[in-house]
Amino acid sequence: MIDTFCSFLGKLISSSIRIPIGGGLHYGSMYYVIPEERRKGYGDMIRDKVARSFVGNEILVIDAVDSMVEPNKRRGYTDTGIRTYRFSGKAKSIGNTPANIKKVTSDNLNALITYDNTCFIAPNVPERKKLLQEWIGIPGGATVAYVNDSGEVLAFGFRKPTLDEKFHIIGPLYAENSTLAKHVISALCEDIQGSHYLIHVCDTNTDAMTLARELGLDEVFYSCRMYLNGIAPPVNNKVYSVTSIDFCGY
């Protein structure tokens, strides 16, 4: 469930979302105030009073732009020093796709869920399975997994087009190692060669950062991981691309 908070003045002027992740964690994003209504208190109201009260004493995770780090620290947030980088590239062939790479459908989703529970910050959350089930059916998207000979998933990734289909977002992308992550990216790019795609990499995974650069992806910007009401567990090193910094930074 995503909780969206908005304020209106005859028109939409500010917004903020709070996404319950599970395990006492929430992810906050899409905090916006239209330019002509900034510095009037609308953003503070929607973020610090309405949305913050929804989180209560549970941990809130955000990925903030540089300019918001110091203001957020004054509001009680902790800057972890962790940065999440957006990389952009053009989809192209990057080698032969192994036979172990399989398309994910509702028939083999359970094996993916089993692996997801070893990677995602909040395992065994019922809503998580429902969400992943919906993602595998997104028109214009793709979901693939690396499945070993025993039927175990050792890597998987989702690709989702933006609404205008000008580019695609790859994430979440979880893998046992960078070789498998590369195979997954290659498979996800097969049907969209020439199109642009994004991945979002947490810099605590140095292998993922290295892979992004080996693939020739361009660094677009980074965001700063911050916490409110405590410190969340670190991002799993099997995470080669988080879902996105707009929806869920895990």
Side-chain angles (χ1 to χ4, degrees):
M1 179 180 66
I2 301 174
D3 290 271
T4 306
F5 307 94
C6 305
S7 59
F8 297 86
L9 194 64
K11 58 184 177 182
L12 178 63
I13 59 175
S14 66
S15 67
S16 180
I17 67 171
R18 296 291 180 263
I19 303 168
I21 295 175
L25 294 176
H26 300 258
Y27 189 75
S29 183
M30 295 188 181
Y31 170 54
Y32 299 121
V33 181
I34 61 175
E36 61 268 28
E37 299 295 343
R38 292 173 183 170
R39 300 186 181 278
K40 296 181 180 180
Y42 298 120
D44 290 344
M45 176 188 68
I46 209 75
R47 179 194 58 210
D48 297 335
K49 295 181 180 179
V50 180
R52 187 166 180 167
S53 65
F54 169 79
V55 173
N57 293 322
E58 295 187 325
I59 296 175
L60 175 64
V61 183
I62 65 171
D63 286 302
V65 296
D66 254 339
S67 62
M68 290 302 298
V69 169
E70 290 304 319
N72 284 337
K73 286 166 70 174
R74 291 194 291 271
R75 295 183 179 97
Y77 288 80
T78 298
D79 179 12
T80 63
I82 298 169
R83 302 296 180 251
T84 302
Y85 286 78
R86 170 174 286 181
F87 289 95
S88 172
K90 186 173 287 189
K92 59 183 179 181
S93 176
I94 52 176
N96 295 327
T97 301
N100 294 80
I101 291 287
K102 310 291 184 182
K103 289 188 176 180
V104 177
T105 67
S106 57
D107 293 331
N108 56 8
L109 179 63
N110 283 338
L112 184 150
I113 295 293
T114 298
Y115 186 68
D116 183 75
N117 282 330
T118 72
C119 305
F120 189 61
I121 190 76
N124 299 307
V125 176
E127 290 78 11
R128 176 75 172 170
K129 182 175 181 178
K130 295 177 184 177
L131 182 63
L132 298 180
Q133 177 80 56
E134 292 181 6
W135 281 350
I136 64 175
I138 290 179
T143 309
V144 300
Y146 183 96
V147 184
N148 69 11
D149 295 339
S150 299
E152 299 171 309
V153 170
L154 300 181
F156 72 79
F158 288 80
R159 173 175 55 76
K160 302 176 287 292
T162 58
L163 287 176
D164 56 11
E165 296 190 2
K166 289 185 177 179
F167 59 90
H168 295 250
I169 297 174
I170 291 179
L173 168 57
Y174 301 161
E176 288 295 297
N177 54 59
S178 58
T179 298
L180 297 184
K182 184 176 181 179
H183 288 323
V184 169
I185 292 174
S186 178
L188 291 173
C189 288
E190 282 183 356
D191 297 335
I192 59 164
Q193 291 195 32
S195 299
H196 284 88
Y197 70 96
L198 305 175
I199 63 172
H200 298 90
V201 181
C202 183
D203 67 0
T204 54
N205 188 337
T206 56
D207 287 343
M209 294 289 289
T210 298
L211 176 61
R213 291 173 174 133
E214 286 179 351
L215 293 174
L217 304 184
D218 297 320
E219 182 184 315
V220 181
F221 66 84
Y222 66 83
S223 57
C224 308
R225 179 60 54 98
M226 305 190 77
Y227 300 138
L228 182 69
N229 299 334
I231 302 296
V235 177
N236 193 307
N237 275 337
K238 297 178 182 179
V239 177
Y240 278 76
S241 177
V242 303
T243 304
S244 80
I245 55 173
D246 299 312
F247 180 76
C248 179
Y250 290 97

